[in-house]
């Protein structure tokens, strides 16, 4: 780590210990800082006036860790995907002073956080999220995570697109483990669900002109969850939306930015009011090719061929999608990542969705332009086989030959 020198908009020279990569991130942060300086008139020694920095929530005393083994009053049999607040969250920050390097992450009590009204995330949507699950192990004490490094790398990739610094893979995975252990009384019993983990990366620093924020917060909170769709494991009913799109070429559909989700609320609510489970989106150029559902990927099965839309920037590269592709290939199916048209869909035997929240969800019907198409569900379907294969690994019921699970003891 050599000492590098950054100059602010006002020409003040700011000493900063930066590596090459961190320096590039610091430049991104620096351009954001100019806006802050323009209004703050900040000093060169402290980049952000203290009162403008977002405050860390109350910190956790090392002795104040939850050691209870169960969540007490929770009705484990009726967990949906609702928000059950847990005990602790993890918070780590990074500002220009830190040269784009996160450090000093800590657990604190779960609760509200304070943000400047002019924070980048509130004004310009500079934010990313992740989603993952921790399962209780069947055989002995402890918990398992599923491919958490993949979530860490996806956050890094998204951070680049959103002009944010990101935690290292090691920091991310360590933070997730700490969050699970601190909230271990909230991990549902085997088979009843999982502890859902929600990592966030947000531009928490103040900025007025459109630019990257001068400070970033990485935060992880947790909530026990059961099934995502209220149908539970029952097949779901989708409707194709051909007038509204969730992504476009060159946009941000391929990263898990928070800005992709508020725009799908309206079509989703409309679909729900008509009795559908969710919306299936088409590509915005030809309006002919399947993309994905609001928060999960889609697959179609015809004969022994399993096809899913290729990820070319408009589809979120799901970790469940990637895992299911591998599991299906191992089981002798021909798996194709390609354009999947409406015609392919109409002709399919089976349709299913994949995602951390939904796992592998069979699709019973898809409605397109008023016409309802039916698909096979239930026993002996490809989706059911893949659901079993995936969840057995995730829940520790089958040997993990792929090294996908990470133990937390
Ligand atoms: C998160 C998400 C998925 C699923 O990704 P996983 O890594 O499998 O959880 C699919 N599509 C969208 C739009 C998503 O936000």
């Amino acid at each position: 780590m050599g000492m590098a020198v950054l100059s602010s908009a006002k020409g003040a020279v700011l000493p900063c210990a930066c590596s090459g990569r961190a320096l590039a991130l610091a430049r991104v942060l620096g351009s954001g800082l100019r806006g802050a300086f323009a209004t703050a008139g900040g000093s060169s020694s402290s980049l952000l006036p203290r009162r403008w920095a977002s405050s860390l929530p109350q910190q956790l005393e090392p002795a104040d860790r939850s050691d209870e083994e169960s969540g007490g009053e929770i009705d484990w049999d009726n967990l949906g995907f609702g928000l059950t607040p847990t005990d602790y969250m993890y918070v780590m920050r990074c500002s220009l002073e830190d040269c784009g390097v996160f450090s000093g992450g800590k657990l604190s009590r779960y609760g509200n956080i304070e943000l400047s009204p002019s924070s980048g995330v509130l004004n310009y949507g500079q934010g990313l999220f992740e989603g993952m699950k921790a399962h209780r192990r069947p055989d002995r004490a402890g918990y398992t995570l599923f491919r958490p490094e993949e979530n860490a790398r996806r956050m890094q990739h998204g951070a680049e697109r959103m002009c944010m610094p990101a935690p290292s893979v090691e920091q991310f995975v360590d933070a997730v483990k700490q969050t699970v252990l601190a909230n271990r009384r909230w991990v549902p019993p085997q088979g009843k669900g999982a502890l859902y983990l929600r990592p966030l990366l947000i531009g928490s620093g103040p900025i007025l002109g459109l630019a990257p924020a001068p400070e970033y917060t990485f935060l992880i909170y947790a909530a026990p969850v059961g099934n995502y769709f209220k149908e539970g494991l029952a097949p779901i009913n989708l409707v194709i939306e051909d007038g509204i799109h969730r992504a476009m070429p060159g946009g941000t559909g391929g990263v898990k930015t928070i800005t992709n989700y508020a725009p799908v609320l309206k079509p989703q609510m409309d679909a729900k009011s008509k009795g559908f489970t969710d919306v299936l989106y088409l590509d915005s150029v030809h309006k002919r090719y399947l993309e994905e559902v609001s928060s999960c990927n889609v697959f179609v099965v015809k004969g022994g061929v399993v096809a899913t839309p290729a990820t070319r920037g408009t589809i979120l590269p799901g970790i469940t999608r990637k895992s299911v592709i591998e599991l299906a290939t191992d089981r002798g199916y021909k798996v194709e990542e390609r354009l999947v048209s409406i015609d392919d869909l109409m002709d399919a035997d089976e349709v299913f969705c994949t995602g951390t929240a939904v796992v592998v969800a069979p699709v019973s019907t898809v409605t397109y332009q008023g016409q309802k198409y039916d698909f096979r569900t239930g026993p002996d379907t490809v989706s059911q086989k893949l659901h079993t294969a995936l969840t057995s690994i995730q829940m520790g019921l089958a040997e993990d030959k792929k090294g996908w699970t990470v133990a937390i003891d």
Side-chain angles (χ1 to χ4, degrees):
M1 289 277 229
M3 287 289 273
V5 171
L6 299 174
S7 49
S8 79
K10 286 199 154 183
V13 175
L14 312 171
C16 197
C18 290
S19 68
R21 179 170 168 271
L23 187 60
L25 286 166
R27 282 204 194 95
V28 167
L29 289 167
S31 65
L33 196 71
R34 255 168 244 139
F37 264 109
T39 45
S43 72
S44 61
S45 58
S46 168
L47 298 176
L48 272 176
R50 269 295 128 224
R51 69 195 161 83
W52 283 25
S54 55
S55 69
L56 268 178
Q58 176 200 335
Q59 285 178 12
L60 177 65
E61 292 297 316
D64 188 20
R65 263 267 283 269
S66 163
D67 281 325
E68 282 179 60
E69 259 304 313
S70 97
E73 305 301 292
I74 311 163
D75 179 4
W76 295 118
D77 290 311
N78 290 299
L79 278 177
F81 212 80
L83 178 65
T84 305
T86 54
D87 301 323
Y88 298 106
M89 60 187 185
Y90 182 94
V91 183
M92 181 163 64
R93 288 195 299 167
C94 158
S95 66
L96 178 56
E97 293 163 68
D98 311 317
C99 310
V101 178
F102 280 86
S103 65
K106 281 193 172 65
L107 289 165
S108 67
R109 294 299 296 197
Y110 176 81
N112 292 352
I113 57 168
E114 191 171 285
L115 281 176
S116 163
S118 60
S119 62
V121 65
L122 289 181
N123 291 260
Y124 303 123
Q126 201 186 13
L128 291 167
F129 72 92
E130 270 301 329
M132 48 211 303
K133 282 174 175 171
H135 285 95
R136 204 174 272 278
R137 273 209 289 265
D139 45 343
R140 56 190 175 93
Y143 315 91
T144 48
L145 294 170
F146 186 71
R147 311 185 80 176
E149 306 87 359
E150 295 283 335
N151 297 86
R153 279 192 282 270
R154 186 165 68 189
M155 178 167 273
Q156 290 183 334
H157 176 243
E160 203 173 325
R161 179 70 178 80
M162 302 298 284
C163 281
M164 299 194 281
S168 69
V169 171
E170 295 70 29
Q171 284 177 317
F172 182 103
V173 175
D174 175 62
V176 170
K177 288 180 176 176
Q178 287 191 43
T179 310
V180 173
L181 284 177
N183 294 300
R184 59 182 173 270
R185 73 189 182 102
W186 298 99
V187 186
Q190 255 283 320
K192 304 279 186 191
L195 186 69
Y196 184 79
L197 296 143
R198 174 51 64 85
L200 294 175
L201 179 62
I202 59 172
S204 47
I207 192 86
L208 187 58
L210 178 58
E215 180 212 84
Y216 294 85
T217 299
F218 173 69
L219 188 155
I220 308 177
Y221 66 89
V225 296
N227 292 320
Y228 185 75
F229 291 123
K230 74 173 190 310
E231 290 88 340
L233 283 180
I236 59 174
N237 300 288
L238 300 176
V239 60
I240 291 184
E241 174 57 70
D242 51 5
I244 297 180
H245 300 278
R246 74 169 289 283
M248 66 199 131
T252 56
V255 298
K256 230 169 160 73
T257 167
I258 60 171
T259 54
N260 289 340
Y261 299 87
V264 302
L265 294 178
K266 186 167 166 43
Q268 190 191 53
M269 294 314 284
D270 289 349
K272 285 188 176 167
S273 74
K274 292 176 197 146
F276 299 109
T277 318
D278 210 333
V279 177
L280 175 55
Y281 291 95
L282 298 180
D283 79 285
S284 63
V285 177
H286 305 93
K287 306 183 195 304
R288 280 210 58 74
Y289 301 104
L290 309 191
E291 293 227 306
E292 58 179 321
V293 182
S294 316
S295 60
C296 47
N297 296 113
V298 69
F299 286 75
V300 301
V301 183
K302 176 74 183 175
V305 180
V306 177
T308 190
T311 53
R312 293 189 183 131
T314 55
I315 293 167
L316 203 281
I319 296 158
T320 319
R321 173 188 178 278
K322 183 172 167 175
S323 308
V324 160
I325 288 173
E326 222 180 296
L327 292 173
T329 307
D330 292 349
R331 276 155 187 77
Y333 296 100
K334 186 161 185 286
V335 182
E336 299 175 345
E337 292 180 74
R338 57 166 166 87
L339 289 174
V340 179
S341 68
I342 293 270
D343 299 312
D344 294 326
L345 174 86
M346 292 170 180
D347 198 33
D349 304 325
E350 269 182 62
V351 177
F352 62 88
C353 294
T354 65
T356 297
V358 304
V359 195
V360 176
V363 175
S364 162
T365 69
V366 178
T367 300
Y368 175 57
Q369 295 181 338
Q371 184 82 34
K372 193 173 232 172
Y373 299 87
D374 290 283
F375 305 100
R376 283 189 56 210
T377 60
D380 294 326
T381 52
V382 176
S383 73
Q384 182 140 83
K385 288 192 188 98
L386 293 172
H387 180 274
T388 304
L390 180 68
T391 54
S392 310
I393 297 175
Q394 291 175 333
M395 305 199 307
L397 300 172
E399 190 196 344
D400 173 18
K401 293 183 188 136
K402 299 185 173 290
W404 282 346
T405 55
V406 169
I408 309 175
D409 291 295

